[in-house]
Amino acid sequence: MLYLNLNMNEFVYLHSYSAYSILNSGMSVQDYVLALKKLGVKAAGLSDLNFLYGQPQFDKLARQNAIRPLLGLDIVFEGVLLTLYAKDETGYRALINVSSSLGQNANIESIFREYKAHLVAITTSNQAFISDHYQDNPTIIRDVLKRLALIFDDFYLGVESYHRDDETASFIRQFAQKYNYQVVAFPHVKYINRQDAINLELAHAIRDDINLEDVKTKNGDHFLYTFEQLSSLYTALEITTTNTIAQSISFTFNEKRGQLLRFPTPDNIDNRLYLKDLCEQAIAQLNIDDKAYLSRMAFELDVIDNMGYNDYFLIVHDYVKYAKSQGILVGPGRGSAAGSLVAYLLDITTIDPLKYDLLFERFLNPARQTMPDIDIDFMDVRRDEVIAYLKQKYGETRVANIVTFQTNAARASIRDIGRIYQIDGKHINLLTKSLGTSLFDLRDAYRNIKSFKSLVDSDPFYLEIVSLSAKIEGFPRQTGMHAAGLILNNEPLVASLPVFNNNGVLMTQYEMAYLEEQGFLKMDILGLTNLTMIDTCLRLIKHYHGVQLDYEKLPFDDEKVYSLIAEGKTMGIFQLESAGMLRAISQIKPTEFNDIVAVLALFRPGPMENIPTYASRKETGARIDYLDEGFKQILDPTYGIIVYQEQIMQIVRHMAGFSYAEADMFRRAISKKDEKKLIKLEKDFLKGASAQGYTISAAKKVFEDIHKFADYGFNKSHSVAYAKLACQMAYLKVYYPLEFYAAILDKATSNDTKFPKIVSEMKQRGIKLLLPSINQSGTAFVPTAKQLRLPLNMIKGISSDKANRFIEERQKNGPFKSLENLLTRAHHFDVSKSDLRLLVEAGALDEFGYSRKTMLQQVENLDFYQNYGLIEENSFLSPMMIEELSDDNSMKISREVELLGIAISDNPIHYVADKFKAYHLTTVSEIDTNNPRIYGYIKALKTIKTKKGDQMAFLTLSDYDMEIEVTLFPSVYAQCFSQLSQNKIIGLTGAYQIRDERPQIVATQIYSIEEE
């Protein structure tokens, strides 16, 4: 090859696939960019297959590393693999159109012809179209390439060569010379190094669901070549042509392309005037004639107008109004938006920001030109109705869901390798379990998790599994949908943003962060289970009490509410039910709404170290010294502790004379801990404080406190809104406990770890659970006089559909009068013997007066009765001769627990209570966390070997109401292992701990007694 003293600056990689060519590449965007930088490349392209998913990340990382990014796209057009590059903004919009149209029966050629002057098109020599025809039918190649050359102004033949005697590369060179085509060096990059071909092999194995047997290493051709390697494969002209193409491209990706949706106002009234009119109407309806409110409203409206966000507020107001008009419960507010009076007046939030000292500038700051972010919670089961309304109102083409990518995390990567190489599941489980609950990637896990590192180091077999897993870790597996985010745009999205159709749902091709950078309006339409629970509770209250409660008017500032929370009876209450939160509540002992607001802000890593101080000062009323009355007003509600971000802003404003907008910028900057900025910030703060009459020493002390608490401060607006929702749920729990528990249990399952805790709390409050009943149960919990009856579909194996068959039958033909009556009617509504067995074992037929063993025997005889004509249409021909059999209580309860997740009819451990009480042991439900001495049955038991080879065990101890995890280290396990077996009743003592937010006991002694 002719080599003219060129260097890597003259070569541009134009045909590269990243991991965003889902499972068609063995390299991430990040690895690609870093490898390019190492090679000294100054420009490079990315042309993933069919979609532009990876372009935002590629553009950002390339520019950060002084590489000029070129935006490309690979598609198959009429059987030919084409690589397209956008030369300019118009070309980019053409690629958007092409990618968005794939699979939609669009006329792709018409797009090409319309935008041909703005695109570069390259076809590669290394594809089936060439290799299938270059020897026996080159005319087809000539005709197809001629057609493509006539479509595009800039059309090139790519030479993809990996060795000197590449026949298809030779054919393309000769073809180009004969017919006067331009050729370009066009190696196809799919991984970084030659040996990384195994990465691609693994990706293909996942994609195609195949096994690789013993293939653990592989070399390949699709790697990043050095210039010396390239120059041995390509001519100087082919190499320099890559740079010529790059120089013809002037496209800049990072531009604002989103257009704020215009809200259609009545009679086309100016949006500013319409927004103002809505706010003034609300002020009048609320009968507010307070200068502070009027001034704040005017200020906020001016800021909103000046920043161009009138339409934004009107859009949110409109869809919240729609939801409420349809009976869809909407949260009181979320995030900093609750600090806006305009949002309150528009009924977007139900939090009065002036009442709670919330700051608008924390939400929308004219000095910080960012899109507003009003996130709204809706009851989860009706969230889709709100999205459908937006699409109907603004048009399907202007609203899209946001894509996410389901990537291979550490555990998933290990499991994939296990499947690909058919590795025994016990080894894979051992590796994944050794990772614990951490979210580390494999490399960080090896550095930070001792159990994982020890296992990997113990055997080269495990090291090989992890090494292979690391090769596919982080690769996107498939697309998903963002749980809440939507994009709304004033023009059809396909004009400025690549999208795709996912089973009828329009989806963006870019992830959320990149959409915001390009100026697209994001709306978070969130589904909140707790709102659905409240709705269920309110409907039950209306049904059973005839009381119509308005969710938005539910009281929340109520002494009984705070008493319930302070007692720790918070199961089912939004944000307040975790073990860690209960500890915080037990210290603070809330007595007012501000305490709930504070505990939500304090219960986070870092700030929680202030919980004891808050609790102590609250309890003792200890005197707190403040610099002056201004500081007292700001910090007195939180006992002198900086809890909220708004307090930081207030302090900065009060002491240094900053505006709230400047104070918010100060807060943001100081929380980032940028040392250079901190020097200037401190200087500005001290100068402002001095001008306000404070001493430099006092100002420095306050600055240091702010510096310390900047990371700790929480958004008070968010905390107030969520505290309101929590207290509203607590109100329902106080005054309508049966309906409340019915509502929260309706959303739980018997496998839910919260379920036994909810049941235990119910018992503490004197509320009893009743067995499901064939005649009284429905498909939801039924409240009756301090009791709740389980639904039929809570029985494991009885679906809602099957439960409804029983319900419809009894509604149509009356209740089931007896076991005989049920068996007679069963075959009429498609009920199997296995269904009847489940009903018996779950206690749903106990009302018929037979033992369960007796009824099971009759169910087994059902075929005999039917075959011998003992059953006619409505009754048995003769009375059944039923032999009474006695139940085995232990087996009976064990099966009940299996089917319902809980023992209701009896509790076997009651029969041994006296024996364990002799050892001063209590049930799990009555545990004393300071001195745990408990007994219960072993619900689950697992033994493992330590890295030293010693046996130890983990077990779950239950009293059929509550359960707790127990760890038996080798010294204890060695003394008692023969006494341990599943379902056996034992006692133990030990040390109580909280680990990963879950209580556990490290056992020190085991007690075992023989049951009578």
Side-chain angles (χ1 to χ4, degrees):
M1 294 295 171
L2 185 61
Y3 180 54
L4 299 174
N5 296 318
L6 303 174
N7 57 46
M8 207 65 195
N9 291 345
E10 299 297 322
F11 182 77
V12 179
Y13 278 105
L14 293 172
H15 201 200
S16 301
Y17 284 2
S18 77
Y20 284 102
S21 288
I22 309 291
L23 300 177
N24 280 297
S25 168
M27 69 180 180
S28 68
V29 171
Q30 184 176 23
D31 287 345
Y32 177 47
V33 171
L34 292 178
L36 290 171
K37 183 180 180 181
K38 188 175 180 180
L39 283 172
V41 168
K42 297 303 179 185
L46 181 68
S47 59
D48 281 317
L49 185 64
N50 294 335
F51 299 100
L52 298 168
Y53 299 143
Q55 293 298 341
Q57 186 186 18
F58 175 60
D59 181 87
K60 192 169 193 173
L61 292 178
R63 292 186 186 282
Q64 286 175 357
N65 288 278
I67 298 168
R68 188 161 71 90
L70 309 176
L71 187 145
L73 174 71
D74 263 28
I75 68 164
V76 176
F77 175 66
E78 297 183 358
V80 179
L81 182 64
L82 275 180
T83 301
L84 307 168
Y85 275 93
K87 295 172 69 175
D88 50 26
E89 182 68 22
T90 304
Y92 171 59
R93 303 211 176 213
L95 291 191
I96 287 174
N97 201 344
V98 169
S99 180
S100 302
S101 300
L102 293 176
Q104 302 300 308
N105 297 319
N107 188 338
I108 302 296
E109 183 175 339
S110 67
I111 301 172
F112 290 160
R113 291 189 181 279
E114 182 179 355
Y115 296 101
K116 62 181 182 178
H118 305 276
L119 295 171
V120 173
I122 311 167
T123 189
T124 181
S125 61
N126 189 18
Q127 59 175 305
F129 164 67
I130 302 294
S131 59
D132 288 350
H133 299 293
Y134 81 96
Q135 288 181 325
D136 58 349
N137 199 353
T139 304
I140 291 179
I141 297 175
R142 182 197 67 191
D143 293 344
V144 170
L145 294 183
K146 179 180 178 181
R147 181 162 174 260
L148 290 172
L150 291 172
I151 291 175
F152 297 100
D153 287 356
D154 291 305
F155 180 67
Y156 295 83
L157 302 185
V159 177
E160 185 179 344
S161 177
Y162 305 111
H163 43 85
R164 291 175 183 270
D165 55 351
D166 189 314
E167 293 184 5
T168 55
S170 298
F171 169 80
I172 284 295
R173 286 185 175 116
Q174 292 167 13
F175 182 92
Q177 189 172 15
K178 180 177 181 180
Y179 295 106
N180 197 29
Y181 283 93
Q182 297 184 82
V183 291
V184 59
F186 207 56
H188 197 174
V189 179
K190 298 181 182 180
Y191 36 85
I192 304 299
N193 301 303
R194 184 184 294 276
Q195 65 271 24
D196 291 336
I198 187 63
N199 298 10
L200 185 60
E201 195 78 4
L202 293 171
H204 285 167
I206 295 170
R207 182 194 67 191
D208 300 332
D209 194 21
I210 60 174
N211 300 323
L212 293 183
E213 303 299 335
D214 295 325
V215 180
K216 304 289 177 66
T217 60
K218 186 175 182 179
N219 291 331
D221 296 322
H222 298 285
F223 61 95
L224 281 170
Y225 289 74
T226 64
F227 190 77
E228 288 72 23
Q229 291 168 321
L230 290 166
S231 62
S232 69
L233 296 169
Y234 300 101
T235 68
L237 179 59
E238 289 167 352
I239 289 173
T240 56
T241 301
T242 65
N243 194 42
T244 302
I245 291 172
Q247 294 304 318
S248 73
I249 294 171
S250 60
F251 170 68
T252 301
F253 178 77
N254 195 21
E255 298 284 346
K256 299 285 185 183
R257 297 184 177 87
Q259 296 179 5
L260 182 60
L261 189 65
R262 297 285 297 175
F263 180 77
T265 58
D267 300 321
N268 290 320
I269 301 170
D270 178 78
N271 57 16
R272 177 182 62 86
L273 294 176
Y274 184 58
L275 181 61
K276 182 181 179 184
D277 184 52
L278 288 174
C279 291
E280 288 176 344
Q281 288 179 38
I283 284 279
Q285 289 171 2
L286 294 169
N287 198 25
I288 296 174
D289 189 22
D290 185 317
K291 288 184 179 179
Y293 282 82
L294 297 173
S295 174
R296 172 76 166 259
M297 181 183 75
F299 166 72
E300 290 192 17
L301 287 171
D302 280 346
V303 171
I304 291 167
D305 183 50
N306 290 334
M307 296 182 76
Y309 297 143
N310 294 311
D311 285 306
Y312 180 90
F313 278 80
L314 291 172
I315 291 165
V316 178
H317 159 71
D318 179 70
Y319 69 71
V320 170
K321 180 182 176 183
Y322 167 79
K324 292 183 178 182
S325 74
Q326 300 301 306
I328 301 170
L329 266 54
V330 182
R334 182 187 179 102
S336 59
S340 167
L341 178 62
V342 167
Y344 174 62
L345 295 175
L346 293 174
D347 207 26
I348 292 170
T349 69
T350 60
I351 302 298
D352 181 343
L354 276 74
K355 181 178 179 180
Y356 296 104
D357 215 13
L358 308 179
L359 303 179
F360 176 70
E361 289 84 353
R362 172 62 186 84
F363 165 59
L364 201 58
N365 186 340
R368 175 170 46 91
Q369 289 289 333
T370 56
M371 293 290 281
D373 194 8
I374 304 179
D375 300 338
I376 308 289
D377 291 313
F378 298 91
M379 51 190 292
D380 60 340
V381 296
R382 299 188 65 187
R383 167 184 172 270
D384 288 347
E385 294 178 46
V386 181
I387 296 172
Y389 171 75
L390 287 169
K391 291 180 178 180
Q392 179 272 325
K393 185 177 183 75
Y394 301 111
E396 296 275 350
T397 62
R398 290 178 168 83
V399 182
N401 289 84
I402 299 172
V403 73
T404 58
F405 294 96
Q406 297 173 13
T407 58
N408 259 16
R411 291 171 188 78
S413 300
I414 291 171
R415 292 191 189 100
D416 270 337
I417 294 301
R419 180 185 56 77
I420 290 169
Y421 292 103
Q422 298 178 289
I423 298 168
D424 191 325
K426 68 181 180 182
H427 299 299
I428 299 302
N429 290 337
L430 196 58
L431 276 167
T432 56
K433 287 179 181 178
S434 71
L435 289 166
T437 58
S438 79
L439 298 177
F440 288 125
D441 62 27
L442 290 168
R443 289 174 179 81
D444 285 341
Y446 183 79
R447 288 192 286 265
N448 293 286
I449 302 176
K450 289 182 180 179
S451 59
F452 181 68
K453 183 178 188 300
S454 298
L455 184 60
V456 174
D457 289 346
S458 69
D459 193 324
F461 172 67
Y462 291 123
L463 176 60
E464 183 178 58
I465 294 173
V466 172
S467 297
L468 288 166
S469 302
K471 294 180 185 300
I472 55 172
E473 187 179 26
F475 281 15
R477 288 283 300 271
Q478 58 189 17
T479 59
M481 186 185 295
H482 189 277
L486 288 178
I487 291 297
L488 281 72
N489 203 48
N490 201 48
E491 65 176 356
L493 283 161
V494 73
S496 54
L497 179 71
V499 294
F500 68 101
N501 191 293
N502 181 23
N503 296 321
V505 177
L506 193 66
M507 303 271 291
T508 69
Q509 288 189 30
Y510 298 159
E511 294 173 279
M512 185 164 61
Y514 302 117
L515 293 167
E516 292 176 313
E517 288 176 1
Q518 293 213 352
F520 287 96
L521 174 62
K522 176 184 71 72
M523 298 284 190
D524 272 341
I525 312 294
L526 297 116
L528 190 60
T529 303
N530 300 83
L531 290 171
T532 304
M533 291 177 182
I534 292 174
D535 182 69
T536 302
C537 186
L538 295 179
R539 286 189 285 105
L540 290 171
I541 291 168
K542 183 179 180 182
H543 179 76
Y544 290 104
H545 299 278
V547 177
Q548 180 76 58
L549 294 177
D550 184 341
Y551 150 67
E552 293 198 356
K553 294 179 181 176
L554 285 176
F556 58 92
D557 192 357
D558 184 302
E559 287 186 10
K560 290 185 179 180
V561 162
Y562 306 131
S563 295
L564 181 88
I565 293 171
E567 289 168 9
K569 293 184 172 64
T570 60
M571 290 308 303
I573 296 179
F574 183 57
Q575 301 271 294
L576 299 181
E577 57 185 341
S578 73
M581 179 59 82
L582 283 171
R583 289 197 305 277
I585 288 170
S586 69
Q587 293 179 71
I588 289 176
K589 300 179 180 65
T591 55
E592 59 181 30
F593 184 66
N594 279 338
D595 290 335
I596 308 299
V597 178
V599 78
L600 289 179
L602 287 168
F603 184 64
R604 295 175 300 116
M608 65 174 58
E609 68 184 43
N610 291 311
I611 290 174
T613 305
Y614 183 102
S616 173
R617 290 178 179 178
K618 170 182 165 58
E619 183 176 4
T620 63
R623 183 174 176 272
I624 304 168
D625 292 325
Y626 297 104
L627 273 176
D628 54 37
E629 187 61 28
F631 275 86
K632 186 177 190 302
Q633 289 180 2
I634 296 167
L635 295 174
D636 225 24
T638 53
Y639 303 98
I641 303 165
I642 299 176
V643 175
Y644 309 116
Q645 295 167 350
E646 287 86 343
Q647 287 174 312
I648 294 173
M649 294 167 65
Q650 289 168 324
I651 290 169
V652 171
R653 176 177 168 82
H654 173 71
M655 189 172 205
F658 287 16
S659 69
Y660 275 133
E662 292 169 334
D664 181 55
M665 299 295 286
F666 178 92
R667 175 195 63 80
R668 284 174 161 267
I670 203 169
S671 67
K672 292 179 181 177
K673 301 291 190 283
D674 186 318
E675 291 301 324
K676 291 182 179 179
K677 287 185 178 179
L678 279 173
I679 294 171
K680 185 178 186 306
L681 286 173
E682 183 174 14
K683 183 179 178 182
D684 292 343
F685 181 80
L686 296 179
K687 181 180 177 182
S690 179
Q692 295 290 107
Y694 290 96
T695 65
I696 294 298
S697 60
K700 279 190 173 183
K701 173 66 170 62
V702 172
F703 182 85
E704 288 170 4
D705 285 344
I706 291 173
H707 188 204
K708 176 183 176 183
F709 284 97
D711 284 341
Y712 287 6
F714 192 68
N715 182 343
K716 185 181 182 183
S717 299
H718 181 77
S719 203
V720 169
Y722 272 15
K724 178 181 178 181
L725 185 57
C727 289
Q728 285 176 316
M729 293 193 77
Y731 174 86
L732 292 172
K733 189 171 186 177
V734 167
Y735 293 100
Y736 298 96
L738 282 175
E739 290 73 23
F740 179 85
Y741 284 116
I744 63 171
L745 286 171
D746 188 55
K747 295 294 285 187
T749 66
S750 58
N751 294 325
D752 192 330
T753 56
K754 293 179 183 177
F755 186 81
K757 297 175 185 177
I758 295 170
V759 173
S760 176
E761 186 183 88
M762 288 169 57
K763 287 189 175 183
Q764 293 172 30
R765 299 188 70 193
I767 298 172
K768 184 180 178 183
L769 269 184
L770 299 177
L771 287 166
S773 162
I774 188 65
N775 282 316
Q776 298 178 56
S777 289
T779 53
F781 285 81
V782 179
T784 61
K786 295 292 275 185
Q787 297 175 327
L788 281 180
R789 188 173 293 283
L790 271 66
L792 289 173
N793 56 324
M794 191 168 175
I795 302 170
K796 189 175 181 180
I798 300 292
S799 65
S800 295
D801 178 60
K802 287 180 182 177
N804 280 321
R805 291 180 203 168
F806 288 102
I807 296 166
E808 289 167 6
E809 168 63 18
R810 74 188 189 212
Q811 287 174 341
K812 181 179 179 182
N813 297 311
F816 301 101
K817 299 173 184 177
S818 63
L819 177 63
E820 296 94 326
N821 183 240
L822 172 62
L823 295 178
T824 301
R825 293 160 62 179
H827 70 283
H828 292 303
F829 55 101
D830 193 24
V831 175
S832 68
K833 285 172 64 174
S834 63
D835 295 333
L836 293 169
R837 284 191 210 102
L838 294 173
L839 290 172
V840 171
E841 292 175 316
L845 307 187
D846 282 5
E847 60 204 77
F848 294 146
Y850 299 111
S851 71
R852 294 181 192 174
K853 192 170 184 179
T854 299
M855 289 189 282
L856 283 173
Q857 182 65 54
Q858 296 309 309
V859 169
E860 293 306 315
N861 291 339
L862 185 58
D863 291 338
F864 171 81
Y865 295 143
Q866 291 172 339
N867 292 337
Y868 283 87
L870 298 179
I871 295 176
E872 65 175 17
E873 188 65 25
N874 293 312
S875 66
F876 275 75
L877 290 175
S878 59
M880 292 172 61
M881 299 299 294
I882 298 179
E883 179 187 356
E884 271 287 355
L885 304 172
S886 298
D887 284 327
D888 177 329
N889 279 335
S890 178
M891 293 296 293
K892 168 184 168 182
I893 300 304
S894 176
R895 189 62 178 143
E896 191 174 300
V897 171
E898 282 182 49
L899 294 176
L900 301 176
I902 189 170
I904 293 178
S905 59
D906 200 356
N907 192 332
I909 68 170
H910 290 167
Y911 299 113
V912 295
D914 290 340
K915 295 181 180 180
F916 280 109
K917 283 179 181 176
Y919 293 101
H920 307 290
L921 304 181
T922 69
T923 64
V924 178
S925 302
E926 301 166 319
I927 187 171
D928 177 356
T929 56
N930 294 317
N931 182 27
R933 301 178 61 83
I934 57 175
Y935 66 96
Y937 84 101
I938 299 175
K939 183 177 179 180
L941 175 66
K942 176 188 172 187
T943 59
I944 66 166
K945 279 188 177 182
T946 68
K947 58 184 179 182
K948 293 182 179 179
D950 298 325
Q951 291 273 0
M952 64 176 290
F954 301 98
L955 61 86
T956 302
L957 197 70
S958 171
D959 62 7
Y960 292 101
D961 288 331
M962 285 195 70
E963 59 188 45
I964 193 166
E965 303 302 315
V966 180
T967 300
L968 288 82
F969 285 118
S971 59
V972 176
Y973 180 77
Q975 297 173 19
C976 67
F977 69 91
S978 62
Q979 304 167 34
L980 303 178
S981 61
Q982 195 155 338
N983 294 319
K984 185 172 182 179
I985 298 176
I986 64 167
L988 61 85
T989 60
Y992 183 86
Q993 298 178 351
I994 297 291
R995 184 176 180 182
D996 296 328
E997 284 284 308
R998 299 182 66 176
Q1000 70 161 10
I1001 292 175
V1002 176
T1004 54
Q1005 187 172 357
I1006 301 296
Y1007 299 86
S1008 177
I1009 58 170
E1010 292 300 318
E1011 302 171 40
E1012 294 180 358

